[in-house]
Amino acid sequence: MRLTLTPEELTAYYAQLHDSNSDFKSHYPADSFERQPVHTVYGGANLFKAGFAGKLGEVALKTLDTYAPNYLVFARVLGLPGAETLPINPIEQDSLTRALEKDPEQVREVKPAAWLAFTVYNRVLKKLQSEPIEDNRIDFEDGYGNRPDDEEDGHAIAAADEVAKGMRDNILSPFIGIRIKTFSDECKVRAIRTLDIFLSRLAEQTGSKLPANFIVTLPKVTTPTQVSTCATILQNLESKLGFAKDSLRMEIMIETTQSIINHKGENTVPLLVAAAAGRCRSAIFGTYDYTASCNITAAHQSHTHPACDFARHVLQVSLAGTGITISDGATTSMPIGPHKAGKDGALSPQQMDENRAVVHGAWKLHYDNIMHSMRHAYYQGWDLNPGQLPVRYAAVDTFFLSGLQDASARLNAFLNKAAQATLVGNTFDDAATGQGLLNFFLRGMACGAITEQEVLATGITLDELRSRSFVRIVNNRTRK
């Protein structure tokens, strides 16, 4: 076989490609599929207690019982797939419920919508009882407001004491952190002071131990210098207070147009992340501050505004493959009825109907917003009220469970064909789609919506799953 290129030339080309590939991998080490919380619950620092998560879970359960006492009501309110087919007649409802309680998998074969509604509702109940909050942010910013310095100093100390107590009693949420004020000229002094007081007190109370998955949130970021300054402060406090090296991590909030594109026309997101010098764990999109910075009027500010989708896509494209997670914003319509019970603890039927209408409307909006986020591959968002928790978990479970059977069939067929393209139904899959199917299961497992057994039922092995690469799986199978 005749070759034209000399060995020396080939060696030079290989070296160039190796250096280029190594540089690429240093910037894009791959997305992390470790557990990512499905939400972050923000609450004013003045209200935080060690048992905050459990308390909110109790309120969420009470709200669910009041406004959706069973899976049929809940499914219709949210508009779960096939909810319109669920029975309304009480006798039919009782018969269906008994069948589901006896053998849900049998019902699933003939009435998938009923199975989905029943399964989602019961998973929500279990979640609210066992782990009502996945990520908690003790808020010194918008959810707290501007207060006298002495008052905020006191709340910073009290919050640190409560975190320490929660660590001792093992009652904190799996992820937790604080949100300080922005590093603008107006707020920078107060923001840094609160961060210093909180961490100093926490180190004192815990022997320089941090709770698991602790993070500091820096809001309304506009310049890389704000991020680098925060990272430097964290490094300094870490060293002086005795926290483990590189344990103080941060997340940045993308809430302004300048944090998407700067005055030079550059994409600002990578610059902001780089400024954190390895301390940035995640980036959060702030819907309403961002739309305000776009001069969108209040009547048209919404989670699904096209301006928000543009920013989401920039954020997503900028951080894909970097290992930095992304989170979406909040639904600000709260599921809180306009009427409160009087001294006798009772509401009139009309007041109950009006409360129900408000709560159901807020639930539906929140559900639709979460689904919008998840379709755009934003698997984490904000919750601001305990009444939103049932909807958060219902949306996550519905997103994955409603697509589970189809994804399982497609992944199974693809694995059986290995490197060959395959056709399932009217959907043609190639290798890129195979990775997308794998991502579906990895994401579903990471948030608890899909079990390991459900993944293994596709024919994939644990070793293959842990590889997290469909191309690698295919290559290994074709070699056998």
Side-chain angles (χ1 to χ4, degrees):
M1 182 181 296
R2 181 176 179 273
L3 295 175
T4 301
L5 299 175
T6 67
E8 292 76 14
E9 290 172 330
L10 289 172
T11 299
Y13 298 149
Y14 297 155
Q16 290 173 11
L17 291 171
H18 174 77
D19 292 345
S20 174
N21 293 337
S22 296
D23 181 65
F24 177 85
K25 289 179 181 178
S26 71
H27 290 97
Y28 301 98
D31 289 327
S32 170
F33 285 99
E34 293 181 1
R35 182 183 180 183
Q36 179 183 355
V38 301
H39 69 170
T40 302
V41 177
Y42 284 76
N46 55 308
L47 303 175
F48 179 76
K49 298 293 182 185
F52 181 78
K55 181 65 176 178
L56 260 63
E58 293 173 5
V59 176
L61 283 166
K62 183 177 180 181
T63 303
L64 185 61
D65 183 60
T66 301
Y67 296 106
N70 61 61
Y71 68 99
L72 297 164
V73 174
F74 198 46
R76 280 193 286 267
V77 169
L78 300 184
L80 298 192
E84 70 282 356
T85 68
L86 299 176
I88 299 175
N89 182 285
I91 296 176
E92 294 178 0
Q93 290 179 343
D94 289 342
S95 176
L96 176 61
T97 301
R98 286 195 299 271
L100 284 163
E101 290 172 344
K102 181 180 179 180
D103 191 345
E105 287 304 314
Q106 185 177 34
V107 176
R108 182 181 191 177
E109 295 300 319
V110 293
K111 296 182 178 180
W115 173 87
L116 179 65
F118 180 81
T119 302
V120 167
Y121 190 78
N122 283 286
R123 287 193 180 191
V124 169
L125 288 175
K126 184 179 179 180
K127 182 70 172 179
L128 294 177
Q129 292 163 354
S130 62
E131 191 182 75
I133 295 178
E134 294 195 0
D135 188 15
N136 183 198
R137 203 65 74 248
I138 304 166
D139 194 15
F140 287 93
E141 202 223 1
D142 288 347
Y144 178 78
N146 295 313
R147 299 166 184 256
D149 282 339
D150 289 347
E151 187 174 351
E152 184 159 339
D153 287 351
H155 286 146
I157 293 171
D161 288 345
E162 290 295 325
V163 170
K165 181 179 186 300
M167 292 172 66
R168 290 193 298 271
D169 297 343
N170 195 30
I171 55 174
L172 297 177
S173 55
F175 296 76
I176 194 168
I178 65 169
R179 178 167 72 168
I180 57 177
K181 288 179 170 60
T182 178
F183 273 9
S184 66
D185 282 342
E186 295 82 4
C187 298
K188 62 188 179 186
V189 174
R190 183 65 261 181
I192 296 172
R193 180 177 176 84
T194 295
L195 180 61
D196 191 348
I197 291 172
F198 177 88
L199 290 175
S200 297
R201 181 70 170 192
L202 186 63
E204 179 183 293
Q205 292 293 309
T206 66
S208 300
K209 303 293 184 184
L210 289 170
N213 301 305
F214 180 81
I215 199 163
V216 174
T217 306
L218 183 64
K220 297 180 176 62
V221 173
T222 55
T223 70
T225 300
Q226 292 176 342
V227 179
S228 62
T229 300
C230 185
T232 301
I233 292 169
L234 292 177
Q235 182 182 30
N236 194 1
L237 288 172
E238 192 176 80
S239 175
K240 289 185 174 182
L241 295 174
F243 291 116
K245 188 176 185 300
D246 298 327
S247 61
L248 287 176
R249 306 292 299 281
M250 65 183 293
E251 62 185 359
I252 58 175
M253 297 194 70
I254 306 298
E255 301 178 85
T256 65
T257 56
Q258 295 83 6
S259 56
I260 294 293
I261 297 175
N262 67 18
H263 65 287
K264 297 179 180 180
E266 300 169 324
N267 179 356
T268 318
V269 176
L271 304 178
L272 297 175
V273 170
R279 289 186 182 271
C280 184
R281 191 176 76 194
S282 58
I284 307 167
F285 178 60
T287 307
Y288 294 93
D289 282 293
Y290 183 82
T291 50
S293 76
C294 291
N295 293 315
I296 296 168
T297 59
H300 298 286
Q301 286 180 296
S302 73
H303 188 86
T304 57
H305 195 286
C308 294
D309 284 342
F310 167 77
R312 287 187 185 100
H313 296 158
V314 172
L315 185 60
Q316 185 178 56
V317 169
S318 301
L319 299 180
T322 65
I324 307 295
T325 60
I326 53 178
S327 175
D328 213 341
T331 300
T332 58
S333 295
M334 296 294 98
I336 302 173
H339 304 293
K340 296 187 181 298
K343 293 181 179 179
D344 60 357
L347 292 171
S348 69
Q350 181 179 344
Q351 288 175 323
M352 275 299 300
D353 286 343
E354 291 173 355
N355 278 1
R356 190 176 295 107
V358 170
V359 171
H360 286 180
W363 274 356
K364 176 59 175 169
L365 177 62
H366 193 38
Y367 175 83
D368 289 345
N369 285 346
I370 296 169
M371 284 300 194
H372 181 86
S373 297
M374 297 187 76
R375 284 192 293 271
H376 286 76
Y378 277 74
Y379 301 105
Q380 181 179 355
W382 295 4
D383 289 325
L384 306 176
N385 181 274
Q388 293 181 318
L389 300 181
V391 179
R392 172 66 60 180
Y393 296 125
V396 171
D397 283 333
T398 300
F399 182 85
F400 287 102
L401 291 179
S402 60
L404 180 59
Q405 286 187 307
D406 177 64
S408 295
R410 290 170 65 188
L411 183 58
N412 179 265
F414 214 131
L415 289 169
N416 289 337
K417 295 288 186 179
Q420 301 175 30
T422 187
L423 185 67
V424 178
N426 62 354
T427 303
F428 186 76
D429 290 326
D430 59 14
T433 306
Q435 184 63 46
L437 290 167
L438 186 62
N439 291 345
F440 172 86
F441 287 97
L442 289 168
R443 280 290 176 185
M445 282 187 64
C447 72
I450 298 176
T451 66
E452 185 178 282
Q453 290 72 25
E454 287 170 327
V455 178
L456 295 178
T458 65
I460 200 170
T461 68
L462 282 178
D463 287 341
E464 288 175 331
L465 185 64
R466 293 189 185 108
S467 78
R468 305 185 185 280
S469 169
F470 193 82
V471 171
R472 194 172 303 146
I473 293 170
V474 169
N475 288 340
N476 289 337
R477 289 197 174 203
T478 53
R479 291 193 191 105
K480 295 179 180 179

